Amino acid sequence: MAEEGDIYDEIEIEDMTFDQTLQIYHYPCPCGDRFEINIDDLRDGHEIAVCPSCSLQIRVIFDISDLPEKEDDHPQPVAVTV
Amino acid sequence: MAEPAPKRRKTTLHALGSNGNYQLGFSHTQDTSTPTKCVFHDKNITLNHVPLAEHEEVKKIITGGNHTLLLTNLGRVWSAGLNDTGQRGLVAPEELGIQNGLSAGERSDTAFSSGDVGFGGWRLLSWTGAQHLQRDTGRDHTAYVTDLAATWTASYLVLDNTSVYSCGSGQKGELGLGKDVVASTTPKRCFDLQDVEPGESTTVKQIAGCMSHAVVLSTSGKLYGWGASRKGQLGQVMRETKVSWTPRRVDLGLTDGEEWPVDQVCAGRDFTFVVGRRSQEQYFLGDASKLGIELPLPLTESTEKREHGVNIHAGWTSITVLSSNGTAQAFGKSPQGFVKNLVRARTLHNIASMAVGSEHCLAISDDGDVLASGWNEHGNCGDENDLDAVDNAQQANTIWHNKANHRTIGVAAGCATSFILTESIAVDETENG
């Protein structure tokens, strides 16, 4: 896994910007593009945001419990005790 | 016998590095590791030199994340790159003869197939500040643009050394236009020195911006700032609010009697560094220990005095000090695990002036050559395979050789972008237009 490759920096999630439409967190990369990571990947425990234009990556510092609630269009049926 | 025609000067801008959004000012979006002439669209003429009037000179080049601005001493502003949120101040696309505006489909290939040259190259800002400044302040002004700065997606125009206008966008108060104002496609007044130092004859000495914050230094030595402040880059008071939506005085936290006027300021990604006129007068706003910067920095004055004293420059995560003896030294440790050739690894000698980008630096040597050092993934420090170009003594790439009739007059550096400004005396008639 390339996750331990060129980690440019560790960035707190509060310093990143959340794009509601794309459901990604992003942060500027020194190359002019930006590091991106999908919120679902964060929920799955991934912590490396990558830049699509260069080799640099950042480690996102976050707490899964602090992520915004997942907007669920299809709520799971509630278990009903009969 | 007729007098020979006076020699005309021609100023040329060369660029290299990251260019995905036309930020180098070419007619295409390819990266290049070779200094390449920029293209200027002057009305309907396309030129490969900077269109300057007789007594006009390039005063400054500044960079945002994906846009670049150039200021002349006559207050004219040229820009290149992304304008998706108005960060280039290009608010009247019809004036440019572009139907759909620069923001729509900047990156789309249809821009080229239409035969429209409008999406690449440098263009002149048509916005003039005079009427705005008079309306906003009630004062009469010439409203010359006297200085520039930028954050990632915002730009600042200083008018008459007093008023700061911002345009573009920023989620963290970068525009300085008030709470929750995150976008402005036209330049609006966000700061005026006359409002905070009324009746004084002070002017804007310096303006600096980095990723998400901006600072203004007045000639009275007071510092003002706005934008992202969570990392303490605008002082302890503004750290509490995390974001500063309007410009405020930056408190250096010095106790009464210990205060000193700020002489120079530079802004990094999460920090601001200021120095006074004496070498021990230094203040780091932000977390110096995270960058491994130990204060005070050794800002020793040399006995071999140059025209300028010490000059401080900030990269995103480093500070570079150009001492009066011509030694450029970078401070700041490599962030965890980051093993690239960073600007901070280098000490350069016999340097006349320099520019520091996000993670690289350019330096003009005493001979007028341009050296490049630092992170080079986009070719912004030249071609690493070109071993002849490497100055082993300097551990840097020589990306430009000074020529007697074509001398180096300036450098600028941004997010993996490098700019070299040169001036030739004789006009080369063979140049294509």
Side-chain angles (χ1 to χ4, degrees), chain A residues 5-12 14-17 27-34 53-56 59, chain B residues 18 65-66 152 172 211 230-231 242 269 290 316-317 335-336 338-340 358-359 375 377-378 415-416:
Chain A
D6 287 330
I7 301 298
Y8 170 60
D9 208 350
E10 296 184 335
I11 302 296
E12 292 168 83
E14 191 172 351
D15 292 317
M16 301 181 76
T17 303
Y27 185 83
C29 174
C31 80
D33 210 327
R34 60 192 196 184
S53 296
C54 74
S55 69
L56 301 188
R59 178 175 288 116
Chain B
S18 179
N66 290 275
W152 184 254
K172 297 185 165 81
M211 193 180 78
R230 200 173 85 82
K231 295 297 173 67
K242 298 183 179 179
R269 192 187 66 185
K290 186 170 185 268
W316 273 22
T317 56
Q336 186 174 356
F338 187 45
V339 294
K340 298 290 181 200
S358 56
E359 294 292 355
W375 183 53
E377 192 168 333
H378 288 265
C415 294

Side-chain angles (χ1 to χ4, degrees), chain B residues 73-345:
Chain B
N73 64 331
L74 298 186
R76 296 206 299 167
V77 177
W78 292 82
S79 69
L82 199 59
N83 190 50
D84 60 340
T85 61
Q87 59 267 57
R88 287 172 63 186
L90 294 175
V91 294
E94 67 277 8
E95 290 181 39
L96 301 172
I98 297 167
Q99 294 300 317
N100 297 321
L102 281 168
S103 58
E106 272 258 11
R107 304 180 78 151
S108 97
D109 292 330
T110 58
F112 295 109
S113 57
S114 70
D116 195 327
V117 295
F119 296 89
W122 290 78
R123 293 190 176 276
L124 187 65
L125 178 68
S126 58
W127 184 83
T128 52
Q131 60 184 13
H132 298 275
L133 198 52
Q134 190 154 23
R135 183 198 63 206
D136 293 347
T137 67
R139 306 191 303 264
D140 281 328
H141 298 276
T142 53
Y144 273 116
V145 179
T146 50
D147 209 345
L148 296 174
T151 61
W152 184 254
T153 50
S155 298
Y156 309 101
L157 310 172
V158 180
L159 299 190
D160 292 346
N161 295 304
T162 302
S163 309
V164 180
Y165 280 67
S166 63
C167 60
S169 63
Q171 300 291 321
K172 297 185 165 81
E174 289 93 329
L175 293 174
L177 292 170
K179 185 163 171 49
D180 297 332
V181 179
V182 295
S184 176
T185 53
T186 58
K188 292 193 177 67
R189 191 174 65 126
C190 65
F191 176 77
D192 204 310
L193 209 49
Q194 283 292 314
D195 293 344
V196 289
E197 298 182 21
E200 306 284 332
S201 57
T202 51
T203 55
V204 173
K205 185 176 185 183
Q206 244 188 304
I207 182 167
C210 194
M211 193 180 78
S212 295
H213 77 292
V215 285
V216 168
L217 173 61
S218 80
T219 49
S220 65
K222 295 187 180 73
L223 192 67
Y224 305 87
W226 62 94
S229 53
R230 200 173 85 82
K231 295 297 173 67
Q233 56 266 68
L234 296 174
Q236 282 303 325
V237 176
M238 284 190 261
R239 181 199 286 265
E240 309 292 322
T241 60
K242 298 183 179 179
V243 163
S244 185
W245 294 100
T246 49
R248 293 174 63 178
R249 173 91 186 269
V250 176
D251 182 9
L252 296 187
L254 300 171
T255 53
D256 285 344
E258 288 185 353
E259 290 177 338
W260 38 264
V262 176
D263 187 51
Q264 279 183 62
V265 61
C266 62
R269 192 187 66 185
D270 296 326
F271 68 88
T272 308
F273 183 59
V274 297
V275 296
R277 296 204 55 90
R278 286 175 296 198
S279 61
Q280 70 270 30
E281 293 174 342
Q282 307 178 18
Y283 199 84
F284 189 98
L285 297 136
D287 190 349
S289 62
K290 186 170 185 268
L291 300 176
I293 293 176
E294 289 180 25
L295 298 163
L297 297 182
L299 305 183
T300 46
E301 286 291 329
S302 166
T303 49
E304 184 196 334
K305 275 282 186 188
R306 291 180 176 230
E307 187 180 345
H308 305 288
V310 170
N311 276 291
I312 56 170
H313 301 270
W316 273 22
T317 56
S318 63
I319 295 171
T320 301
V321 176
L322 177 58
S323 298
S324 50
N325 65 358
T327 300
Q329 196 175 357
F331 300 91
K333 73 170 182 193
S334 182
Q336 186 174 356
F338 187 45
V339 294
K340 298 290 181 200
N341 292 331
L342 287 175
V343 48
R344 60 181 64 84

